[in-house]
Amino acid sequence: MTSFETNNNQGRNTPSFENTEIAFRHSSNTDLNRAYWLFRMINVNFLVKIGPPVTNFAMKIGLPIKNIIKATIFKHFCGGETIAECDNTIKNLYSGRVGTILDYSVEGEEEETVFDNTRDEIIRTIDRAAKDKAIPLTVFKVTGVGRFGLLEKLDARLKLNDTEEEEWRRVQARVLAICDKAFKNNVPVMIDAEESWIQDTIDLLALTMMTQFNKQRPIVYNTYQMYRHDKLASMLNDHAIAQSEGFILGAKIVRGAYMEKERKRAEEKGYPSPIQPDKKSADLDYDSALDYCTSHINEIAFIAGTHNEESCRLLAELLDNKGIDHKHPHVYFSQLLGMSDNLSFNLAHADYNVAKYVPYGPVKAVLPYLFRRAQENTAIAGQMSRELSLITKERKRRSANL
């Protein structure tokens, strides 16, 4: 099978995501076998549910399971514990024309020294990206450089005391230092979306940074979670502000990652859920966002963060139908390391801009990220069977060619 299929409605060629030879060319047989057994284990909901508490307890009492974690789920979904340990992953992805987004995945911390260290580490990812064309984008979370509870209080529009006011100034200074470094090095930086009850504060910070640094080129990107029913309108409103203020809107478009938590909190606290009524509505807003961004390609730079094949296919068609070059610097496809290689590598093979999120950090600190990946995978209908079917197909193809 070629890496393209004919779209008879448009009379154009759009990428096929069935070519497992291209999808897994960067994976050794050992890698493929590990992925096969890992996804089979993740597919067992019972193991995913008991895994986090058992693992946390084992590490707390000092059982030697770190090496087991590092050799299995960590190795599959993460680049390493340090930037240097990510080198092989960066080179491996780039051999298939896929870029790397170094994602320092330490979260849920409370101490100011940790926030300062995280700021410094994010700046090191920007320094690395500035001299490595294999790293086209960088990223950070505001909760990596500031306390969740403080952001929550700001979002609730509660008055801060003097100590909190000073704490908030330090958070803003860290965000400014990161974005200023990105601007001076001409390295785009994405600000990840988080829970709805701290997102307004993050949105305002992101908009302030874009107003300052996106005048000539897109440097700062905010993230719009389209599983929220208000986020398409939010993106359109931000574009209107960008037009008025004279800057390029940077938008990372995702479906979202906090759905169960959002619905539970809304029910417990008795307010309307911010989540779309159904998946179809989220899909419609996501695809509408792609259409809107491609219609304003000179004013909006965007990253389509998605594991949805139909949305990837739609964006590829939109670029062709609107005469936008596959390599236009304002358009990127993005997926997570260890997932949907059939999308990433087939899109890159077809000469689109593609970059993978490559999380890294100390194993213990990255565990919350890893558990979330496993839990999200089991929650997505058909995702596991899709990953497994593609891996199985490639294993059979390789066996037949021996």
Side-chain angles (χ1 to χ4, degrees), residues 16 54 60 64 122 143 152-153 161 265 307 327 346 357 363 366 382:
S16 165
V54 168
K60 191 173 184 179
I122 294 161
T143 52
E152 192 173 16
K153 194 168 181 179
N161 60 38
R265 187 178 189 270
H307 293 246
K327 283 292 189 182
N346 279 299
Y357 262 64
V363 171
V366 176

Side-chain angles (χ1 to χ4, degrees), residues 122-260:
I122 294 161
I123 285 173
R124 281 190 282 273
T125 68
I126 294 169
D127 284 332
R128 173 63 191 269
K131 58 186 179 185
D132 192 343
K133 61 184 179 180
I135 307 173
L137 303 158
T138 57
V139 67
F140 73 99
K141 273 187 170 185
V142 174
T143 52
V145 296
R147 186 168 56 86
F148 191 101
L150 178 69
L151 299 174
E152 192 173 16
K153 194 168 181 179
L154 284 159
D155 244 56
R157 293 173 173 78
L158 299 175
K159 184 173 174 57
L160 303 183
N161 60 38
D162 290 345
T163 302
E164 289 169 332
E165 287 282 4
E166 178 55 35
E167 184 185 2
W168 175 227
R169 281 192 285 272
R170 288 195 296 270
V171 174
Q172 293 175 89
R174 291 183 193 111
V175 171
L176 179 61
I178 291 166
C179 294
D180 184 60
K181 182 71 171 180
F183 176 78
K184 287 175 178 174
N185 285 274
N186 195 23
V187 173
V189 61
M190 299 176 286
I191 300 176
D192 267 348
E194 305 195 47
E195 290 86 347
S196 64
W197 55 98
I198 62 170
Q199 189 61 46
D200 285 351
T201 302
I202 294 170
D203 287 345
L204 185 58
L205 259 179
L207 204 57
T208 302
M209 294 299 107
M210 281 193 275
T211 302
Q212 182 168 346
F213 294 114
N214 286 18
K215 295 287 189 183
Q216 289 102 22
R217 57 192 184 277
I219 293 294
V220 180
Y221 289 68
N222 195 17
T223 303
Y224 300 87
Q225 299 189 101
M226 294 300 165
Y227 75 159
R228 282 182 54 174
H229 56 68
D230 58 341
K231 276 299 156 181
L232 178 59
S234 176
M235 189 191 79
L236 268 57
N237 183 64
D238 287 353
H239 178 227
I241 293 171
Q243 289 176 310
S244 173
E245 297 292 328
F247 67 87
I248 298 168
L249 180 68
K252 187 179 79 164
I253 305 164
V254 300
R255 279 173 171 79
Y258 303 97
M259 187 164 62
E260 300 304 325

Side-chain angles (χ1 to χ4, degrees), residues 37-57:
W37 289 109
L38 183 62
F39 280 121
R40 284 196 63 174
M41 287 173 63
I42 289 174
N43 212 21
V44 180
N45 282 314
F46 173 71
L47 290 177
V48 172
K49 286 176 182 176
I50 68 165
V54 168
T55 303
N56 287 329
F57 176 73

Side-chain angles (χ1 to χ4, degrees), residues 25-40:
R25 186 179 288 160
H26 64 295
S27 299
S28 67
N29 288 337
T30 301
D31 293 334
L32 209 60
N33 289 333
R34 185 187 62 249
Y36 175 79
W37 289 109
L38 183 62
F39 280 121
R40 284 196 63 174

Side-chain angles (χ1 to χ4, degrees), residues 196-197 227 258-275:
S196 64
W197 55 98
Y227 75 159
Y258 303 97
M259 187 164 62
E260 300 304 325
K261 187 191 290 188
E262 292 280 1
R263 283 178 172 154
K264 183 179 179 182
R265 187 178 189 270
E267 186 177 346
E268 287 174 352
K269 293 188 174 289
Y271 61 83
S273 171
I275 304 303

Side-chain angles (χ1 to χ4, degrees), residues 344-355:
S344 305
F345 287 94
N346 279 299
L347 283 164
H349 185 75
D351 219 25
Y352 294 92
N353 293 321
V354 184

Side-chain angles (χ1 to χ4, degrees), residues 81 102-106 117-118 121-122 125 139 358-362:
E81 293 195 81
L102 287 171
D103 180 14
Y104 186 55
S105 295
V106 174
N117 290 338
T118 299
E121 184 65 21
I122 294 161
T125 68
V139 67
V358 176
Y360 77 97

